[in-house]
Amino acid sequence: MMIESKLAKSIRALLITMPVVLLAACGDGDDGKDGVNGTNGTDGASALTKVVTQEASEACPYGSTLVQAGVDANANGELDAAEVQSESSVCSAPSANAQMISSTAQIKFEEVAAPLSNYDKRQIMVGQAKVVDGEQEKALDVGYHILARSGDRFGDVVFGQLVDKDGQPMYGEDGARKVSDANEHTSLLPIDDKLFSVSQMESRPGAMFLMELNQDQTTGELSVKNMSQIDQSGVDGGWVHCAASVTPWTTHLASEEYEPDASNPASASSMNEYMGLVGDTNPYFYGWNIEIEVSEDATTDLNKHYAMGRLAFELSYVMPDSKTVYMSDDGTNVGFFMFVADTAGDLSAGTLYSAKWNQTSAENGGAADLTWVNLGHATDSEISDYVHGSSTQAALGFADIFDVDTENCTTISANGKTECLELRSGMEKAASRMETRRYAALTGATTEFRKEEGITFAPDRNKVYVAMSEVAKGMTDGAGDIQLTENKCGTVYELNVATDAVNDTAGNAINSSSVVKDMTALVAGRPVSGEDPQVAGFEGNNSCHINGIANPDNVTYMAGHNQLIIGEDTGSGHQNDAIWTYDLDAGSLTRIQTTPYGSETTSPYWYPNINGWAYLMSVVQHPYGESDGDKDTGTGEGRAYTGYVGPFPAKAE
């Protein structure tokens, strides 16, 4: 792909076009007579120059600059391929990170110290990185780069501004704009010759922004070219957009977390202002996955995928087969879910499954074989009709789906509630999607997980990784499928993908080659105890050991480098949340980023190669907002950060 660089565009914009004049060579001669005035001729064609930045090659390992020249014969102001009369190429000089690294090299991180001083606890600190290739090492010049902070203005757009369904800014009772500091997942989306980013806010209503980014071809650094607010009115608005992922077909797959409990009709009343309603907003409007497709002209197309079910979505992760999706459910007494689409690259129809934990060990965070309960097939359009109503039926409410406390009801525990429910006749499909967790519990799937968070996949290891923020409550109450020892510092689990065909619990084949078959604790936090004291100076501020994870949240995998990235969302576990790498070869943790007081690390997501550069996206949510609010100076420290760690050299295929 050829991308015209910023320098090249600047050169082209400054070029002065001149008519072409042909000169005949001649010697000195006698002065001629004055001639008569001739008729005006037509304007000559313009000479144009075009400068194009080219990717690395064997001849030019750091890329090159191609200079083309010619005559604008068709007068369209552009130098077309047929008009090029000459060209020359100059190899580019190396920058600190520019050269792509070999297929055998790995990126490793130097540890950044846990912040101890008041000054360090207010900073974003990043450990240095290096490339290791056998006995050779090369230091990299990486750091934390800010794309935008909440409240920053880009033209007429305020980053983090909450708007109503008509796109009008929302204001608080004090007359101030409602600007969210809950910046969350921010993606990178290469679309044709442009680079876009969708950034979402974990708020009610949930805001989304589209950024077009500049990428410096020499340094790899990113910056915001322009920004727009994404209109979500066509999907009833957004709700608590937590983590997200990028699909194999380069769309942004957003989440809606902590779905309103539809047994309470007023549970979505916080959306009334957005919707412009006096009555209650339908709770079934929220708790879905939203796919955002970005076009090169910076337009967006949004779809809520009702076929995938309704949960407290932390994250949905699409496997490389473009059909199988793993979905985490954040809360107490929740499930683990898998969706298998009918067609690769199309999430609008498919079959939904819920995992059953068949415990094989209670040691060190536990282990289990997983089997899958089939919750049935559905399409987006079918479930949308249940949610919104249609010409042939009214929208469904909770009481249309379930009877409560009847003689034949079944007692279940789901999302922190114990209740006795009876499914109404013919409501299986509606319940499977509109009340996915409750229906899963009724069908015998496991709904005992606690705060299930991020998901990622390691293609070179054929393993899935899932973070459990805490091992507690339904996982440790001594009843049901999961019976483990409490660990409030959390655990990251490793799941093996089956290499042979898998059936569901009813014996029917699952139409996927990416079904996980087991789940084993991989790395766990270390609650502080008298036998395991903190490092000197950290006692009292951290209930989880300062040199271990605390409440793991989002995870991502650095393919080819064998590094699992683990972000934290912790309150008392660590005073300052951190991002870690877990070296899957060495089995060791390295702290690579720390964040200010009261922050949450969100959005860590690895992009291995965008035009020769790699990036670790990293968002710092609500500084001073989760704890230590008294330390906020009120001088803008509390504004969230959206940015990335890097740039890194991409790895040769």
Side-chain angles (χ1 to χ4, degrees):
M1 179 176 64
M2 290 188 180
I3 302 176
E4 194 172 12
S5 67
K6 291 195 295 182
L7 174 61
K9 292 178 181 177
S10 300
I11 291 172
R12 181 160 62 82
L14 293 172
L15 287 174
I16 302 174
T17 59
M18 301 178 63
V20 175
V21 180
L22 299 178
L23 301 176
C26 59
D28 292 338
D30 295 335
D31 291 340
K33 296 181 180 179
D34 292 339
V36 296
N37 293 331
T39 58
N40 292 329
T42 58
D43 291 338
S46 297
L48 293 180
T49 302
K50 185 176 183 180
V51 183
V52 180
T53 299
Q54 296 181 301
E55 295 181 348
S57 65
E58 184 176 353
C60 296
Y62 306 107
S64 60
T65 300
L66 178 69
V67 181
Q68 299 174 323
V71 176
D72 187 15
N74 61 9
N76 68 350
E78 298 285 342
L79 186 62
D80 299 325
E83 297 169 341
V84 174
Q85 295 175 328
S86 66
E87 61 182 21
S88 61
S89 181
V90 179
C91 291
S92 302
S95 67
N97 297 345
Q99 187 178 15
M100 292 180 70
I101 61 178
S102 74
S103 60
T104 58
Q106 292 186 348
I107 292 173
K108 303 290 186 182
F109 290 87
E110 301 290 343
E111 184 157 83
V112 61
L116 185 57
S117 70
N118 178 59
Y119 175 83
D120 287 345
K121 290 181 179 183
R122 296 178 181 274
Q123 310 305 312
I124 298 175
M125 300 194 297
V126 174
Q128 286 305 299
K130 59 185 177 182
V131 175
V132 179
D133 194 356
E135 298 298 319
Q136 297 182 332
E137 292 189 4
K138 176 188 174 183
L140 296 176
D141 181 18
V142 302
Y144 187 74
H145 298 268
I146 301 169
L147 293 175
R149 296 189 67 183
S150 51
D152 284 350
R153 183 181 290 273
F154 296 86
D156 295 332
V157 177
V158 176
F159 188 48
Q161 173 72 64
L162 304 186
V163 298
D164 64 19
K165 65 181 178 62
D166 298 318
Q168 296 303 304
M170 298 172 69
Y171 295 89
E173 293 182 359
D174 59 357
R177 287 176 176 264
K178 289 185 177 180
V179 177
S180 175
D181 288 320
N183 302 17
E184 241 287 353
H185 197 98
T186 300
S187 60
L188 294 179
L189 304 171
I191 308 294
D192 295 326
D193 287 347
K194 296 182 178 179
L195 180 58
F196 293 97
S197 174
V198 172
S199 188
Q200 58 194 45
M201 305 289 155
E202 195 174 8
S203 51
R204 300 177 179 87
M208 286 185 182
F209 297 85
L210 178 67
M211 294 181 271
E212 184 179 351
L213 301 178
N214 298 310
Q215 183 186 41
D216 189 300
Q217 294 298 298
T218 302
T219 66
E221 290 190 14
L222 306 177
S223 60
V224 179
K225 182 177 181 180
N226 53 61
M227 181 183 290
S228 59
Q229 186 128 20
I230 295 177
D231 178 11
Q232 299 180 78
S233 61
V235 292
D236 305 312
W239 172 278
V240 193
H241 298 310
C242 195
S245 64
V246 176
T247 66
W249 53 95
T250 320
T251 57
H252 179 105
L253 189 58
S255 61
E256 291 188 310
E257 192 181 37
Y258 304 137
E259 86 282 15
D261 184 352
S263 66
N264 173 11
S267 57
S269 61
S270 57
M271 293 295 289
N272 292 353
E273 182 182 2
Y274 172 87
M275 298 293 287
L277 295 178
V278 175
D280 293 324
T281 301
N282 184 354
Y284 286 124
F285 284 172
Y286 310 110
W288 310 97
N289 287 302
I290 309 175
E291 185 178 5
I292 301 96
E293 181 179 1
V294 180
S295 300
E296 189 183 18
D297 62 359
T299 57
T300 55
D301 182 35
L302 277 65
N303 286 285
K304 279 192 176 176
H305 285 308
Y306 303 103
M308 299 177 75
R310 178 173 172 270
L311 299 165
F313 283 112
E314 171 76 19
L315 175 74
S316 294
Y317 188 95
V318 184
M319 297 288 279
D321 66 357
S322 296
K323 291 178 57 177
T324 308
V325 189
Y326 288 103
M327 304 180 293
S328 58
D329 188 13
D330 191 348
T332 299
N333 287 91
V334 294
F336 181 49
F337 297 88
M338 176 178 67
F339 177 77
V340 180
D342 294 346
T343 304
D346 181 357
L347 302 177
S348 65
T351 304
L352 184 60
Y353 299 86
S354 187
K356 186 168 182 63
W357 170 282
N358 304 285
Q359 188 159 307
T360 57
S361 173
E363 300 298 317
N364 302 318
D369 293 328
L370 296 181
T371 51
W372 293 95
V373 179
N374 189 328
L375 303 185
H377 182 275
T379 68
D380 282 354
S381 59
E382 288 175 322
I383 307 305
S384 180
D385 285 349
Y386 292 150
V387 172
H388 299 97
S390 68
S391 59
T392 59
Q393 68 173 55
L396 298 179
F398 184 84
D400 298 310
I401 300 172
F402 295 115
D403 277 327
V404 180
D405 293 329
T406 63
E407 184 175 325
N408 297 318
C409 67
T410 301
T411 300
I412 63 168
S413 292
N415 206 19
K417 294 177 64 175
T418 299
E419 49 195 348
C420 203
L421 301 177
E422 181 180 1
L423 186 66
R424 288 184 177 272
S425 177
M427 287 291 111
E428 289 81 5
K429 182 170 290 191
S432 74
R433 275 22 182 219
M434 298 170 71
E435 292 290 347
T436 303
R437 189 186 309 104
R438 285 178 166 116
Y439 185 70
L442 286 173
T443 57
T446 300
T447 55
E448 299 166 32
F449 298 102
R450 164 69 175 156
K451 289 199 66 62
E452 200 174 70
E453 306 284 353
I455 305 170
T456 194
F457 175 62
D460 49 1
R461 304 176 74 89
N462 205 29
K463 297 176 187 291
V464 170
Y465 297 91
V466 177
M468 209 74 64
S469 185
E470 292 183 357
V471 176
K473 300 196 175 180
M475 300 180 75
T476 60
D477 61 5
D481 297 334
I482 308 177
Q483 299 187 33
L484 302 175
T485 301
E486 183 178 79
N487 184 347
K488 289 195 172 182
C489 297
T491 299
V492 177
Y493 289 85
E494 183 176 73
L495 296 77
N496 288 296
V497 176
T499 56
D500 50 3
V502 178
N503 293 338
D504 63 26
T505 54
N508 300 309
I510 298 175
N511 186 27
S512 167
S513 59
S514 300
V515 180
V516 294
K517 63 178 182 177
D518 53 35
M519 188 169 181
T520 304
L522 177 68
V523 54
R526 295 157 54 188
V528 175
S529 67
E531 293 76 33
D532 185 19
Q534 289 278 8
V535 177
F538 289 101
E539 290 87 348
N541 290 326
N542 302 278
S543 59
C544 300
H545 198 284
I546 199 67
N547 288 334
I549 62 172
N551 306 117
D553 192 62
N554 291 142
V555 292
T556 189
Y557 179 68
M558 294 174 60
H561 303 283
N562 289 318
Q563 302 288 314
L564 180 66
I565 304 291
I566 304 171
E568 293 182 345
D569 174 14
T570 183
S572 61
H574 286 161
Q575 187 174 35
N576 293 84
D577 288 24
I579 294 179
W580 305 79
T581 60
Y582 183 76
D583 189 313
L584 289 161
D585 289 331
S588 58
L589 275 171
T590 301
R591 185 188 304 103
I592 65 169
Q593 182 182 349
T594 64
T595 60
Y597 288 118
S599 303
E600 173 187 339
T601 68
T602 69
S603 191
Y605 206 92
W606 177 251
Y607 294 86
N609 189 348
I610 298 179
N611 300 323
W613 297 96
Y615 303 91
L616 175 62
M617 295 303 291
S618 171
V619 175
V620 180
Q621 190 182 90
H622 56 58
Y624 306 90
E626 195 166 74
S627 60
D628 294 307
D630 59 322
K631 295 180 174 62
D632 187 355
T633 63
T635 58
E637 282 187 295
R639 295 192 298 140
Y641 301 79
T642 293
Y644 64 93
V645 177
F648 301 89
K651 189 168 186 174
E653 296 296 332

